[in-house]
């Protein structure tokens, strides 16, 4: 069994053929997934999906690119949703310095407020980091993230950064980019992450793994990520699947 820890099946790209997408995921033994909402429409859709499908769980938060749009009532709303038994994490949250829609100070404030909320409701967090590693690490430290832990989503950093994160109770999650032919560094880093700290994800519909790079991503393709990391670590696919699934169930406190 595989656990895709980061999907956006709540995106419009899946409106027309969601049932087929789910069918293909089941064929590849992708038996659980976390649907990530990061603004009003995607959170609403994630909550609909977890009511409809027993194998879907949700993470709710506010994306750093849109930090400037987050109002106090959004945070209150996220806190209310966190009480739902199938909401298993807060996020995705973090910092994104690639796009400049939201100024850095506002991103940082919205990030800090969400970590505090996660600690209040006692749920792990899901981190989005783009071109902002130093500030992300500083904030994680200052906000005592180790109390709840969480996931460095679609990790592409160095082993040193991975170690700092693991030291703060964070799991390291790899997606499609680890399968790219030219992804030398992510491959080296993935090979070094201990099995009890490793997670896999698609981030679908984005970041499609080889050999489907360029097409729409979907949860079935998390099997390519699993295959790649098993090969890098020199272990069997089944062993990689077993550990990453156990890690996800433990982090999200799912016991069925
Ligand atoms: Zn995402």
């Amino acid at each position: 069994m595989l656990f895709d820890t980061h999907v956006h099946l709540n995106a419009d790209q899946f409106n027309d053929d969601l049932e087929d997408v789910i069918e293909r995921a089941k064929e590849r033994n992708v038996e659980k997934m976390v649907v990530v909402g990061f603004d009003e429409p995607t959170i609403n859709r994630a909550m609909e999906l977890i009511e409809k499908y027993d194998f879907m769980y949700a993470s709710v938060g506010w994306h750093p690119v849109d930090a400037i749009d987050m109002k106090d009532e959004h945070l209150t709303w996220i806190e209310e949703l966190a009480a739902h038994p199938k909401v298993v994490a807060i996020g995705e949250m973090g910092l994104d310095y690639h796009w400049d829609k939201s100024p850095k100070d506002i991103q940082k404030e919205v990030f800090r407020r969400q970590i505090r909320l996660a600690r209040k409701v006692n749920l792990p967090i899901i981190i989005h980091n783009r071109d902002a590693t130093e500030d992300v690490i500083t904030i994680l430290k200052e906000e005592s993230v180790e109390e709840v832990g969480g996931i460095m989503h679609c990790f592409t950093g160095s082993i040193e950064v991975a170690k700092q994160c693991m030291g703060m109770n964070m799991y390291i999650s790899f997606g499609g980019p680890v399968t790219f032919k030219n992804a030398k560094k992510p491959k080296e880093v993935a090979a070094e992450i201990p099995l009890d700290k490793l997670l896999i994800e698609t981030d679908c519909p984005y970041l499609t793994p080889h050999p489907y790079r360029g097409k729409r991503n979907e949860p079935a393709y998390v099997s390519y990520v699993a295959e790649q990391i098993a090969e890098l670590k020199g272990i069997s696919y089944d062993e990689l699947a077993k550990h990453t699934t156990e890690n996800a169930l433990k982090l999200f406190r799912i016991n069925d």
Side-chain angles (χ1 to χ4, degrees), residues 9-229:
L9 292 183
N10 46 352
D12 291 342
Q13 286 92 327
F14 295 106
N15 285 350
D16 295 336
D17 64 344
L18 184 61
E19 293 303 326
D20 295 340
V21 167
I22 289 170
E23 189 58 35
R24 288 193 291 272
K26 299 256 159 158
E27 279 165 18
R28 302 303 297 260
N29 298 317
V30 183
E31 288 176 22
K32 290 198 190 304
M33 49 191 81
V34 171
V35 185
V36 179
F38 52 71
D39 61 12
E40 255 183 67
T42 60
I43 290 173
N44 279 323
R45 180 73 178 136
M47 297 307 291
E48 281 170 25
L49 289 173
I50 63 172
E51 293 298 343
K52 185 160 179 202
Y53 299 102
D54 61 349
F55 54 89
M56 289 188 198
Y57 299 81
S59 180
V60 293
W62 207 263
H63 204 283
V65 170
D66 302 318
I68 197 162
D69 303 325
M70 197 192 78
K71 302 188 180 75
D72 290 349
E73 59 252 41
H74 290 131
L75 211 57
T76 311
W77 178 51
I78 290 169
E79 183 174 343
E80 286 162 11
L81 296 177
H84 190 292
K86 292 184 79 190
V87 171
V88 293
I90 305 295
E92 57 191 291
M93 63 170 87
L95 299 174
D96 191 318
Y97 294 167
H98 181 76
W99 305 104
D100 52 13
K101 178 181 166 188
S102 298
K104 289 183 183 177
D105 321 356
I106 293 178
Q107 288 196 35
K108 288 180 189 172
E109 191 52 30
V110 165
F111 183 21
R112 286 183 189 275
R113 291 179 76 188
Q114 290 185 83
I115 301 175
R116 288 172 202 159
L117 168 61
R119 285 171 52 211
K120 186 174 169 194
V121 300
N122 193 27
L123 285 177
I125 64 174
I126 298 180
I127 299 293
H128 170 104
N129 164 31
R130 192 160 182 197
D131 304 338
T133 302
E134 223 185 290
D135 289 350
V136 165
I137 298 285
T138 302
I139 290 175
L140 290 177
K141 259 191 211 137
E142 289 179 358
E143 298 295 337
S144 306
V145 74
E146 69 281 356
E147 284 181 20
V148 286
I151 302 178
M152 300 306 291
H153 139 65
C154 201
F155 190 77
T156 52
S158 66
I159 188 67
E160 289 74 23
V161 170
K163 281 178 181 164
Q164 279 183 295
C165 296
M166 290 187 284
M168 291 188 281
N169 203 10
M170 300 294 287
Y171 287 81
I172 309 297
S173 184
F174 291 93
V178 79
T179 68
F180 298 166
K181 291 238 184 286
N182 57 357
K184 195 166 163 263
K185 193 174 82 173
K187 287 184 205 289
E188 285 170 8
V189 175
E192 279 195 58
I193 303 299
L195 271 177
D196 64 349
K197 282 292 182 186
L198 195 62
L199 293 171
I200 51 173
E201 64 173 81
T202 54
D203 198 23
C204 64
Y206 317 107
L207 298 175
T208 313
H210 176 79
Y212 293 106
R213 194 174 178 181
K215 303 227 166 62
R216 183 189 67 176
N217 200 359
E218 58 177 66
Y221 299 165
V222 80
S223 53
Y224 295 102
V225 177
E227 243 165 46
Q228 173 69 84
I229 299 178

